[in-house]
Amino acid sequence: MVDQEVDTAAGTAVVDADAIDRRNALGSTSDGVLARVRNGLAELTGALRRVAEHVLSDPEAAARSTIVELAERSGTSPATITRFCRVMGFEGYADLRLGIASETGRARSAGWTIDIGREIQPGDPLARVLDQIMAADTRAMHDTATLLDLAEVERAAVAIAGANRVNIFGASGSALVGEEMQFSLHRIGVAAWAWNDVHEGLASAALLRAGDVALGISHTGQTRETIEMLAEAGSRGATTVALTGFPRSPLAELADIVLLTASQATTFRPDALSARHPQLVVLDLLYIAVAQRTHDRAHAAFRRTAQAVDGHKSAKGSLS
């Protein structure tokens, strides 16, 4: 059944406000159409969400469809498709089609479309499973590169490079990613601590002050413990950084700096798990940016830390 919608003045105003927010958060309309649709999916409702889900389920078909065909296939109306284009920051449907076609063409050339979105079956051979994982991770990292605001990475790197102390907060899988970042920063002489216990994290956050940095990691941006720890750090004057997949989440809204990641879920790897590799890529970029801005100190620290553990490496041929 085709959805017949009436665009009231109030409804249009809400959509336009949302579109402005997304354009500010997600960058220009020339790249990353599908990444922006995925990123905004949770905020869309009703007919607009059905359009987004249909576009994501078969982008190549969407790029070939007329506005009437896309409306029929998504169970909506041409007016809804037009509204969806505005929400995504496009002037009209022709621009949206061109953006999707361009992106799917690049993905096809790079081999990113292999099995993405297909459920892994119990009898699938490991070669097929590997192809699907590689394709999904490649797509997620490509989308992350599109979404990521490098000016925000620059701000975070400058803040960390000049900080006396860096606190990293996360829970569960995000805590593991945070520990990786703490390890990297320690190797170049940055005083960093990773906390996954909310009591210890809050106590440490309470001792932060202006000039310190707190990094909160949560794919959904809704993990209560991480939000509490980052909020405490911010209340003490620390610069707060959020690494999340949702620009309008509670964690992102309380942070001074927001670093966005994308994800591509597969069977047994829901969004929170599939976001891990993109998170590591962003944190690797941030770590390198900090090392660049503290080059002499970082180089000397890295050399000393490498020498300190060198004696624990087995000499070649010493093991029987």
Side-chain angles (χ1 to χ4, degrees), residues 156-157 160-161 163 165-168 178-194 213 215 283-284 286-291 294 297-298 301-302 305:
I160 293 173
R165 180 186 181 98
V166 177
N167 270 8
I168 303 169
E179 289 172 4
E180 182 79 12
M181 183 61 169
Q182 187 244 357
F183 170 77
S184 297
L185 292 175
H186 260 192
R187 290 296 301 271
I188 59 171
V190 176
W193 287 263
V213 174
L215 167 64
L283 292 180
D284 257 353
L286 179 57
Y287 156 69
I288 294 296
V290 172
T294 59
R297 186 185 76 190
F302 197 86
T305 54

Side-chain angles (χ1 to χ4, degrees), residues 108-183:
R108 194 184 313 110
S109 298
W112 297 334
T113 58
I114 300 171
D115 275 344
I116 292 181
R118 176 187 179 278
E119 290 293 316
I120 297 174
Q121 303 300 324
D124 283 348
L126 287 181
R128 183 185 292 275
V129 175
L130 177 60
D131 283 345
Q132 184 172 5
I133 291 173
M134 292 294 293
D137 280 358
T138 301
R139 166 56 70 188
M141 285 187 272
H142 171 75
D143 288 351
T144 293
T146 300
L147 291 172
L148 191 61
D149 186 339
L150 294 181
E152 291 286 89
V153 177
E154 174 82 23
R155 288 180 60 204
V158 169
I160 293 173
N164 293 315
R165 180 186 181 98
V166 177
N167 270 8
I168 303 169
F169 306 122
S172 190
S174 295
L176 298 176
V177 174
E179 289 172 4
E180 182 79 12
M181 183 61 169
Q182 187 244 357
F183 170 77

Side-chain angles (χ1 to χ4, degrees), residues 92-114:
Y93 183 59
D95 291 333
L96 176 68
R97 285 182 66 187
L98 181 62
I100 296 173
S102 176
E103 189 169 346
T104 54
R106 290 194 303 270
R108 194 184 313 110
S109 298
W112 297 334
T113 58
I114 300 171

Side-chain angles (χ1 to χ4, degrees), residues 34 37 50-59 62 70 84 96 100:
L34 300 178
V37 175
R50 292 202 299 277
V51 176
E53 289 174 342
H54 184 76
V55 167
L56 292 175
S57 69
D58 194 346
L70 184 59
F84 177 77
L96 176 68
I100 296 173

Side-chain angles (χ1 to χ4, degrees), residues 206-219:
L207 298 177
L208 297 179
R209 54 189 178 183
D212 294 331
V213 174
L215 167 64
I217 304 172
S218 170
H219 172 64

Side-chain angles (χ1 to χ4, degrees), residues 21-22 24-27 39 43 144-157 159-160 213-222 230 239-262 279 282-283 285-286:
D21 285 345
R22 284 192 185 85
N24 290 339
L26 302 177
N39 201 61
E43 298 168 10
T144 293
T146 300
L147 291 172
L148 191 61
D149 186 339
L150 294 181
E152 291 286 89
V153 177
E154 174 82 23
R155 288 180 60 204
I160 293 173
V213 174
L215 167 64
I217 304 172
S218 170
H219 172 64
T220 63
Q222 297 181 7
L230 198 69
T239 299
T240 53
V241 183
L243 179 65
T244 181
F246 295 88
R248 297 169 71 183
S249 63
L251 186 72
E253 290 182 349
L254 69 84
D256 300 313
I257 301 169
V258 178
L259 307 179
L260 289 177
T261 60
Q279 287 173 339
V282 173
L283 292 180
L285 176 63
L286 179 57

